[in-house]
Amino acid sequence: MTLKVGWIGCGTHATQMLLPQLVRHDVEIIALCDVDGLRLAQAGRQFGVKNLLSNAYELINTPGIDMVGMAVGPDQHLAFGKAALERSLPVFMEKPPAATAEGARELLRASERSGKPLVLGFMKRYSIGNRIAHNIITSGRFGRVLGLTGYYMTAPTYFAGNIDYSGFFLHHCVHYMDLVSYFVSPVREMNARKVEAAPGRVLFHVDLGFECGAIGTIAMGTIQSRGTPVERIELMGDHQRLEVDDVIEVRWNRNPPFKTDDLAATLNEDVDTLTWKPNFTAAANEDHKGYHALLTDAVKLFRGEASAAPTITDGVVAMERLEKLRQLLEL
């Protein structure tokens, strides 16, 4: 069945990242909404949509839609998400689900009352390197995860005028509040330290203790250029280590023997390091960041099929951790 979609928010992220991947599925966008008339008209031309609206509630009440998608701000996500769920429509929304953990809990309650799912844009789970690493761990071949280390950085210019860091926390750090448990287990305890180079330029380290007994540290901040690699995750096991660089390169270090003095040395697929990175010269419509795969699971869930899509339940956990982190950092 082709899902009829009403979409709210036609900014750059929606029109360049989300909607192009959504329309690769068996869906039809039948209505678009944005408060910026020029942006709305451009999106209508881009996706061949004639029903263009400036009022989100009018879109939500459009006859014939099967789901509502949105990429707007956290306050709008809360208001529009609740309205769509109250109309018994499933929802896809970008993260964050709201500006606060209580807002996320409101959406969870609305989803439970309606019996309809709300899927969140935690695409870091689906970024190809992260997905490969996760699949190795869940296959049982890696064994117990003992430690997680990593970093996620961005530049201060990305948040000019936002020196309270709220944009960085809500739009970026929330990913890692979700991702750490995707790789390891629920978080048991959290501590954090920070250093500020200047207003708007912060570095903080988050120390994690997991329910499975693993430990972890994530460094995050606004002190690196977005023109450089800014993301790395390393997962430590017993004589094994998974490294994911910039979400696209994976190394699985295992337990190789010393080879230099062995005249018969070769590579052994059971113990030597395995690596993978994409071929960017291939003429393929691949989405390494993970939006297409995320939306694949969202569409499955909206059709009532089995799906691993991250839902508002996951969003509540991530937002509660995020608020705890900000309290620890006093930011």
Side-chain angles (χ1 to χ4, degrees):
M1 178 189 76
T2 300
L3 290 177
K4 308 292 186 182
V5 178
W7 187 274
I8 305 169
C10 299
T12 301
H13 184 66
T15 57
Q16 294 187 16
M17 293 290 189
L18 292 167
L19 291 173
Q21 298 300 335
L22 179 60
V23 297
R24 291 174 61 192
H25 299 86
D26 186 12
V27 304
E28 179 186 356
I29 302 172
I30 64 170
L32 290 169
C33 176
D34 200 285
V35 294
D36 185 312
L38 177 60
R39 203 162 58 185
L40 181 60
Q42 290 172 337
R45 287 194 297 272
Q46 182 179 353
F47 298 101
V49 180
K50 301 298 184 184
N51 189 10
L52 306 178
L53 306 167
S54 60
N55 185 298
Y57 297 103
E58 186 178 349
L59 178 138
I60 291 166
N61 286 289
T62 298
I65 60 174
D66 300 312
M67 62 162 282
V68 173
M70 63 188 76
V72 281
D75 292 335
Q76 291 82 7
H77 283 164
L78 173 57
F80 302 157
K82 285 173 62 178
L85 290 166
E86 286 165 3
R87 226 203 117 205
S88 294
L89 291 169
V91 174
F92 171 86
M93 66 172 58
E94 255 299 357
K95 63 349 130 192
T100 65
E102 177 52 32
R105 289 189 288 267
E106 284 187 50
L107 285 169
L108 175 59
R109 291 191 289 268
S111 176
E112 290 172 341
R113 283 194 302 269
S114 69
K116 299 297 180 181
L118 189 163
V119 173
L120 275 176
F122 284 144
M123 94 293 183
K124 295 291 184 187
R125 295 186 180 196
Y126 293 85
S127 300
I128 183 58
N130 293 343
R131 190 153 30 111
I132 290 171
H134 178 262
N135 289 341
I136 291 170
I137 291 168
T138 57
S139 73
R141 294 180 291 160
F142 187 80
R144 177 186 170 197
V145 177
L146 301 175
L148 177 151
T149 58
Y151 65 77
Y152 178 85
M153 298 288 160
T154 192
T157 52
Y158 190 63
F159 301 102
N162 182 220
I163 59 171
D164 67 347
Y165 309 109
S166 58
F168 181 55
F169 281 105
L170 286 171
H171 296 285
H172 290 261
C173 299
V174 70
H175 274 302
Y176 279 80
M177 297 299 96
D178 171 69
L179 201 58
V180 292
S181 290
Y182 176 71
F183 281 126
V184 189
S185 78
V187 173
R188 184 184 69 245
E189 59 184 345
M190 179 191 305
N191 292 289
R193 296 163 291 158
K194 73 174 187 290
V195 59
E196 290 187 86
R201 300 177 182 228
V202 68
L203 170 68
F204 52 89
H205 286 199
V206 186
D207 299 317
L208 302 162
F210 295 93
E211 287 185 3
C212 68
I215 56 176
T217 300
I218 296 285
M220 292 185 279
T222 60
I223 58 169
Q224 296 294 306
S225 166
R226 284 173 63 82
T228 65
V230 295
E231 199 163 353
R232 175 181 171 83
I233 290 175
E234 184 174 288
L235 296 153
M236 193 80 69
D238 185 6
H239 287 80
Q240 300 196 63
R241 188 172 73 251
L242 278 163
E243 301 167 353
V244 182
D245 284 324
D246 241 21
V247 307
I248 56 170
E249 296 191 22
V250 183
R251 283 179 300 280
W252 184 8
N253 299 289
R254 295 179 292 173
N255 189 22
F258 291 103
K259 300 181 186 291
T260 306
D261 295 327
D262 181 1
L263 295 180
T266 184
L267 293 177
N268 186 322
E269 63 183 20
D270 293 323
V271 294
D272 283 311
T273 297
L274 300 177
T275 66
W276 183 88
K277 64 180 179 180
N279 173 15
F280 286 114
T281 65
N285 187 10
E286 295 183 316
D287 173 43
H288 304 98
K289 291 175 72 69
Y291 292 108
H292 181 262
L294 165 64
L295 289 163
T296 297
D297 265 356
V299 168
K300 284 181 179 179
L301 186 60
F302 296 159
R303 287 187 175 133
E305 301 171 16
S307 169
T311 68
I312 187 58
T313 301
D314 303 296
V316 167
V317 172
M319 289 296 294
E320 289 176 346
R321 286 180 190 156
L322 191 71
E323 288 194 357
K324 173 66 174 176
L325 174 60
R326 296 192 72 173
Q327 291 167 5
L328 290 167
L329 294 169
E330 299 181 342
L331 289 174

